[in-house]
Amino acid sequence: MQHNYLAGKVRPLWRTAIMTLAAAAYLLSLAGVAWTTGPGDALVAVALLVLGVAVGFLTLRHIPAAPPRLGGQAQALWRRQQWLAMVSIVTVYLALVLGALVTSIGGLWTCTTLPLCAPFGDPPRFALIHRGAAATASILVGWLALWVLGSHAQRSARRAGLVALGLMVAQNLVGLGMVVAARGGEGLPLSIGRFAHLAVGGFTWSAVVALATIVVRVPPARLAPTRTTAAETGARPGLLKDYISLTKPGVISLLIFTTLVGMLITPAGVPSLGLIGWTMLGGWLMPAGAHALNCYFDRDIDGKMGRTGRRPIPSGRIPAWHALALGLTLGVVAFAILAVFVNLLTAVVALVGYIYYAVVYTIVLKRHSVHNIVIGGGAGSIPPLVGWAAVTGSLTWASLLLFAVIFYWTPPHFWALALIRRSDYANAGVPMLPVVAGDAATKRHILIYTIIMVGFSLVLTPAGLMGWSYWGLALALGLVFVGYVLRMMRHDTTATRWALYRFSLLYLFLLFVAMGVDRLLLG
């Protein structure tokens, strides 16, 4: 009886302590407006991070600890929601920190036109970057919230979705009001403007963290029967969705992000928005065409693998020649866009990546060599070179270091998936390393390539391309990556393999985020 009584008292005390910590972190983030730029912005960033952790912990205490088991389709959709939730958290956090920086350096008063302004000088340039981050965060949170409202049966999830969506809209309205007031010459003190924006932003951040925590922890119960029924009744996806899936947009999103960062970190400085736009368009269409050709050439082995058997061509929903025509058309259009609106070198570099993936990897290496992923990884390493060439009109040894980081990242990333899908590759006759050399050898190779990858990521600082703030983040991310590999080697399960695979995606994204932050904010 005494034990139960004390346990009942301890739980409320823990909740009270965490709630107090969250409130203190929120107040500290607002207190950052009273400090000078450097200390104030650092205080805001740290306080928001503490607030997010506290809110996440409190949310975990109020949701089910044991989610129900799901079928394969529902499990895959839940994973997509989880990734969207994590990306939304990172983007919202970056938007808030950038917003605090912009107002502290006077960017609000130097960028008063909507939606864009002339990027002359650091304040308006950072203001534009903040607006881009805020717009991206709004889209991601809106997408996540609407997805949750349409798929989750749990009331807390739907309520969190509504609150996050409403606060995100309110945050944008406050930011818009500040720009309009600045344009009209209103004598609004800068500290009050920062205070108002951060006050709403703190609540928005808390709501998004709570929503993301629920999404990561609780499966979308309504998806399982809906998706299973559709599969059982032979329902087919939309035709447009099928054609888009041939281009593998999920893979391209990470590639195009490395292209963007490659543009932002060159010695030439931040490029014009027009150059960024044309490079992003051509840089998206070129790998999209290569992926369509990959679907055409791999149509025979795709039908033998559970992971790819439902693709449009092996399923018979799209004729194979459509993928061939689409891939060739996108490649031609992408080359023309880059050659005309960017420069010829950029177009040629992108075309090399196109041919490398569609021909060298897909036709030559994938079916005939155990080194398919190692050598073929060069195709995915091309995007930052495209961005670098677009801005500078040349390729230097520094840009090749970016190539090397992704080149050595690709084998650990893909071999983690190959370990999970080993039987699929064996059935299709694809000589992936786990099929040919076994799991133990594959895990040793994963560790070796991971160490080399981390080494190249750290070389960027002594080489003069990045600063020491990046080096610290790269070291931390690299140690975590190695930790995931060692954990899989000690406890080799499907869960640890999936954990390594998923973190490898997050690793590359955060590493390039660190590059951009180091160059744009701290360089």
Side-chain angles (χ1 to χ4, degrees):
M1 290 294 295
Q2 182 70 16
H3 173 75
N4 292 336
Y5 172 79
L6 291 177
K9 292 294 184 181
V10 168
R11 292 193 190 98
L13 286 176
W14 270 108
R15 285 197 295 268
T16 302
I18 298 299
M19 291 176 66
T20 303
L21 177 64
Y26 176 74
L27 294 176
L28 280 175
S29 69
L30 299 182
V33 302
W35 285 29
T36 57
T37 302
D41 292 338
L43 178 61
V44 169
V46 174
L48 287 175
L49 192 60
V50 173
L51 175 61
V53 172
V55 171
F57 181 86
L58 288 172
T59 305
L60 284 174
R61 301 282 295 182
H62 290 84
I63 58 178
R69 298 183 63 182
L70 299 177
Q73 283 282 67
Q75 188 74 26
L77 286 169
W78 186 22
R79 284 199 298 269
R80 294 173 195 165
Q81 279 196 356
Q82 290 173 323
W83 273 108
L84 178 59
M86 299 307 296
V87 174
S88 298
I89 284 180
V90 173
T91 310
V92 171
Y93 178 76
L94 290 176
L96 288 172
V97 174
L98 283 170
L101 174 64
V102 167
T103 50
S104 69
I105 64 175
L108 174 64
W109 313 110
T110 60
C111 188
T112 58
T113 57
L114 294 170
L116 303 175
C117 63
F120 300 134
D122 286 340
R125 189 176 300 153
F126 286 132
L128 286 175
I129 295 173
H130 166 61
R131 289 183 187 180
T136 303
S138 300
I139 293 172
L140 292 175
V141 172
W143 182 9
L144 179 64
L146 292 176
W147 199 351
V148 167
L149 290 172
S151 63
H152 271 264
Q154 193 177 58
R155 180 180 299 178
S156 62
R158 298 198 305 272
R159 185 181 302 165
L162 283 173
V163 173
L165 185 61
L167 285 173
M168 202 71 199
V169 172
Q171 175 74 350
N172 281 284
L173 290 176
V174 171
L176 179 63
M178 292 174 64
V179 174
V180 172
R183 183 197 304 176
E186 298 290 336
L188 184 67
L190 193 59
S191 59
I192 295 179
R194 291 188 70 193
F195 185 91
H197 208 33
L198 273 176
V200 180
F203 284 108
T204 305
W205 165 242
S206 300
V208 172
V209 169
L211 173 62
T213 303
I214 294 174
V215 168
V216 169
R217 188 70 176 268
V218 181
R222 293 182 184 176
L223 289 179
T226 302
R227 296 290 177 171
T228 303
T229 302
E232 291 174 353
T233 58
R236 51 179 290 175
L239 191 61
L240 177 60
K241 184 177 179 181
D242 274 340
Y243 281 106
I244 293 175
S245 71
L246 292 175
T247 68
K248 305 179 183 178
V251 176
I252 296 178
S253 60
L254 185 57
L255 298 179
I256 204 69
F257 179 70
T258 64
T259 303
L260 176 61
V261 175
M263 299 183 73
L264 297 177
I265 64 175
T266 70
V270 178
S272 67
L273 292 177
L275 181 60
I276 291 176
W278 287 118
T279 306
M280 292 296 99
L281 179 59
W284 185 285
L285 294 178
M286 192 67 85
H291 289 152
L293 290 184
N294 173 267
C295 290
Y296 171 77
F297 291 125
D298 277 354
R299 62 191 184 279
D300 56 337
I301 62 176
D302 280 350
K304 302 175 182 178
M305 300 171 63
R307 182 173 64 92
T308 57
R310 292 184 295 274
R311 286 179 176 173
I313 295 178
S315 299
R317 300 194 302 269
I318 290 180
W321 71 268
H322 285 200
L324 177 62
L326 177 63
L328 294 174
T329 301
L330 291 177
V332 171
V333 172
F335 185 86
I337 288 174
L338 294 174
V340 173
F341 297 104
V342 184
N343 58 58
L344 183 59
L345 177 62
T346 302
V348 171
V349 172
L351 181 61
V352 168
Y354 175 92
I355 297 174
Y356 200 140
Y357 183 77
V359 179
V360 176
Y361 168 69
T362 301
I363 298 177
V364 179
L365 294 171
K366 184 174 182 178
R367 300 164 183 255
H368 303 102
S369 174
V370 70
H371 304 294
N372 45 22
I373 290 301
V374 176
I375 303 174
S381 310
I382 295 291
L385 300 185
V386 172
W388 192 282
V391 177
T392 65
S394 64
L395 294 177
T396 65
W397 61 267
S399 63
L400 295 179
L401 287 176
L402 299 177
F403 176 94
V405 170
I406 302 180
F407 183 84
Y408 285 101
W409 166 85
T410 303
H413 163 71
F414 203 91
W415 281 334
L417 179 63
L419 284 169
I420 300 170
R421 304 297 186 187
R422 176 184 175 182
S423 59
D424 272 355
Y425 289 114
N427 292 336
V430 179
M432 288 295 175
L433 186 61
V435 176
V436 176
D439 290 2
T442 301
K443 287 181 286 186
R444 288 195 299 271
H445 279 77
I446 287 176
L447 179 60
I448 293 170
Y449 277 86
T450 298
I451 293 173
I452 297 174
M453 172 199 70
V454 174
F456 270 107
S457 72
L458 297 177
V459 167
L460 295 178
T461 293
L465 184 61
M466 290 288 119
W468 288 105
S469 59
Y470 158 81
W471 192 89
L473 291 172
L475 178 61
L477 289 170
L479 290 175
V480 174
F481 201 124
V482 172
Y484 271 93
V485 175
L486 294 177
R487 177 188 174 199
M488 182 192 67
M489 296 180 74
R490 288 194 303 267
H491 308 287
D492 187 11
T493 65
T494 301
T496 57
R497 293 174 177 183
W498 272 120
L500 173 60
Y501 173 75
R502 291 167 184 159
F503 178 76
S504 67
L505 291 168
L506 183 62
Y507 167 85
L508 191 64
F509 172 73
L510 292 179
L511 187 71
F512 274 76
V513 167
M515 294 180 193
V517 170
D518 181 90
R519 177 52 60 91
L520 296 176
L521 301 184
L522 305 174

